[in-house]
Amino acid sequence: MKEYLVLKNVSKIVNENYILKNINLKVSKGEIIGIVGLNGSGKTTLLKCILNFVNYDGEIYVDNRQNNFLDKTGFLIENPNLYLNLTGKENITFWLSFFDDIDMKYVSELCSLFNLNLNKKVRKYSLGMKQKLGLVLALINKPELLLLDEPTNGLDIKNIINLRNVLVNLDEATILISSHDINELSKICD
């Protein structure tokens, strides 16, 4: 299979301490990879490096490009970044403005699958509802690269299963998931 994501000697130093040290990784198109580690081991930092959200040493290529791939990327890193004074629908509408040619039927199906109350202000959402909205936003553009950091936080078992089904059925998406739940990762990762 074609290598879609390549990391070469990726390192991140904070206060003279290595958070990441010479990480090398090759992920083929369509693979689902789980990232497991202790708290503070650098899982989230690695995902942020791939997204170019933090400075790092080394090289990262997505589909043979070092930049300009975010239009084909979906992500949920740490907590969902949501506008709390907007409704779920208004958050989705705002996020849609960043993309061209979005399949609105697919977006509607995701919202229905996760049983989102789109007319409610996000500040009134529970932790699980915020997480589900964050997942919809991460998936909204049918990403070729999907980076998820502890995506099951706050989800009930039904929605964990729904998420699992969505992820394994994404056509040729390359997915990296950081999680403490090794059991869940073993059900979906290559």
Side-chain angles (χ1 to χ4, degrees), residues 4-5 50 62 69 72-74 143-147 173-176:
Y4 190 76
L5 174 65
I50 294 169
V62 176
F69 57 82
K72 297 181 178 192
T73 304
E144 291 181 16
L145 176 64
L146 181 61
L147 306 175
T174 302
I175 305 171
L176 269 69

Side-chain angles (χ1 to χ4, degrees), residues 65-107:
R65 296 181 288 173
Q66 281 192 289
N67 296 305
N68 302 321
F69 57 82
L70 287 180
D71 62 321
K72 297 181 178 192
T73 304
F75 58 89
L76 178 58
I77 307 297
E78 295 177 314
N79 301 312
N81 290 320
L82 305 170
Y83 290 99
L84 301 179
N85 289 327
L86 299 179
T87 64
K89 182 177 182 177
E90 290 167 333
N91 270 272
I92 290 171
T93 300
F94 174 74
W95 198 247
L96 285 170
S97 69
F98 293 102
F99 301 103
D100 296 323
D101 303 321
I102 294 294
D103 180 351
M104 292 308 295
K105 181 180 178 199
Y106 172 72
V107 174

Side-chain angles (χ1 to χ4, degrees), residues 121-132:
K121 297 277 187 187
V122 171
R123 72 172 172 268
K124 294 183 179 181
Y125 276 17
S126 67
L127 172 66
M129 289 292 285
K130 289 175 184 171
Q131 188 75 355
K132 292 188 292 184

Side-chain angles (χ1 to χ4, degrees), residues 6-173:
V6 177
L7 283 69
K8 296 182 180 179
N9 298 314
V10 173
S11 296
K12 174 68 178 169
I13 300 172
V14 176
N15 297 329
E16 299 181 15
N17 294 311
Y18 278 97
I19 304 300
L20 303 171
K21 187 173 183 181
N22 297 324
I23 304 295
N24 291 287
L25 178 67
K26 293 179 181 178
V27 183
S28 297
K29 189 160 184 65
E31 275 190 297
I32 301 176
I33 302 297
I35 303 170
V36 181
L38 301 173
N39 290 335
S41 63
K43 299 180 302 292
T44 300
T45 300
L46 180 64
L47 297 178
K48 287 179 179 181
C49 289
I50 294 169
L51 290 165
N52 207 19
F53 286 178
V54 296
N55 293 326
Y56 60 89
D57 295 317
E59 300 174 50
I60 298 176
Y61 298 90
V62 176
D63 200 20
N64 292 317
R65 296 181 288 173
Q66 281 192 289
N67 296 305
N68 302 321
F69 57 82
L70 287 180
D71 62 321
K72 297 181 178 192
T73 304
F75 58 89
L76 178 58
I77 307 297
E78 295 177 314
N79 301 312
N81 290 320
L82 305 170
Y83 290 99
L84 301 179
N85 289 327
L86 299 179
T87 64
K89 182 177 182 177
E90 290 167 333
N91 270 272
I92 290 171
T93 300
F94 174 74
W95 198 247
L96 285 170
S97 69
F98 293 102
F99 301 103
D100 296 323
D101 303 321
I102 294 294
D103 180 351
M104 292 308 295
K105 181 180 178 199
Y106 172 72
V107 174
S108 180
E109 288 170 357
L110 285 174
C111 292
S112 179
L113 178 71
F114 289 118
N115 195 29
L116 282 174
N117 181 343
L118 297 176
N119 296 316
K120 190 176 186 178
K121 297 277 187 187
V122 171
R123 72 172 172 268
K124 294 183 179 181
Y125 276 17
S126 67
L127 172 66
M129 289 292 285
K130 289 175 184 171
Q131 188 75 355
K132 292 188 292 184
L133 180 56
L135 288 166
V136 168
L137 297 177
L139 294 163
I140 210 165
N141 61 332
K142 293 186 181 178
E144 291 181 16
L145 176 64
L146 181 61
L147 306 175
L148 299 174
D149 185 26
E150 299 289 348
T152 59
N153 276 352
L155 296 185
D156 57 43
I157 189 65
K158 177 184 176 190
N159 284 293
I160 290 172
I161 293 168
N162 288 342
L163 175 61
R164 182 189 317 146
N165 291 333
V166 168
L167 296 180
V168 298
N169 289 305
L170 283 175
D171 292 332
E172 295 191 34

